[in-house]
Amino acid sequence: MATVAMKILEWAPEYALDIPEIDREHQDWFEVINRLHAAMLDGKGPAYLRTVFAEVAKFSFAHFAHEEELMVAANYPGYWDHVQRHNELRETGRAFLKRFENGEFTVSIEVMQVLSRAI
């Protein structure tokens, strides 16, 4: 029996940066997290992790590069701090992927926590 999908995160106007393409990417991030949450509620978390890892890797590389490009163009004062946060998230993702590939399928909740905090 499938559970009713419940969103764990809902996009709200206060999250908007008023940069349409970045706001859309952040909304996409919410959807990735909500899909993982729905899969976990249906008992599919571990099986779905491979798909989530692929989505997160694809998204993070493209999104982080896009954000960093815009920050450079705008002479954003917090650029280096933000890049460091991106690098930390990339490293965390690599560590989760390694654990997953080594057969540790119990990382679903940890992945959910990191993805939720990455917003």
Side-chain angles (χ1 to χ4, degrees), residues 48-83:
Y48 192 61
L49 274 179
R50 183 168 305 283
T51 301
V52 170
F53 280 130
E55 283 185 71
V56 168
K58 179 180 176 185
F59 175 85
S60 64
F61 281 106
H63 175 67
F64 292 167
H66 188 205
E67 268 192 359
E68 291 165 11
E69 176 184 303
L70 292 174
M71 284 187 261
V72 166
N75 239 354
Y76 181 69
Y79 174 77
W80 289 111
D81 290 335
H82 205 86
V83 168

Side-chain angles (χ1 to χ4, degrees), residues 12-99:
E14 62 262 23
Y15 300 131
L17 299 175
D18 295 323
I19 304 169
E21 62 267 32
I22 296 297
D23 289 340
R24 180 69 236 153
E25 290 172 9
H26 287 165
Q27 290 171 26
D28 292 345
W29 190 251
F30 276 51
E31 289 308 311
V32 169
I33 294 167
N34 286 325
R35 281 195 301 276
L36 175 60
H37 182 249
M40 290 170 63
L41 289 176
D42 281 342
K44 300 176 186 172
Y48 192 61
L49 274 179
R50 183 168 305 283
T51 301
V52 170
F53 280 130
E55 283 185 71
V56 168
K58 179 180 176 185
F59 175 85
S60 64
F61 281 106
H63 175 67
F64 292 167
H66 188 205
E67 268 192 359
E68 291 165 11
E69 176 184 303
L70 292 174
M71 284 187 261
V72 166
N75 239 354
Y76 181 69
Y79 174 77
W80 289 111
D81 290 335
H82 205 86
V83 168
Q84 180 59 34
R85 180 68 181 134
H86 285 171
N87 290 337
E88 289 168 5
L89 288 167
R90 287 178 183 112
E91 187 55 40
T92 299
R94 282 187 207 93
F96 278 137
L97 181 58
K98 184 177 182 180
R99 287 172 56 196

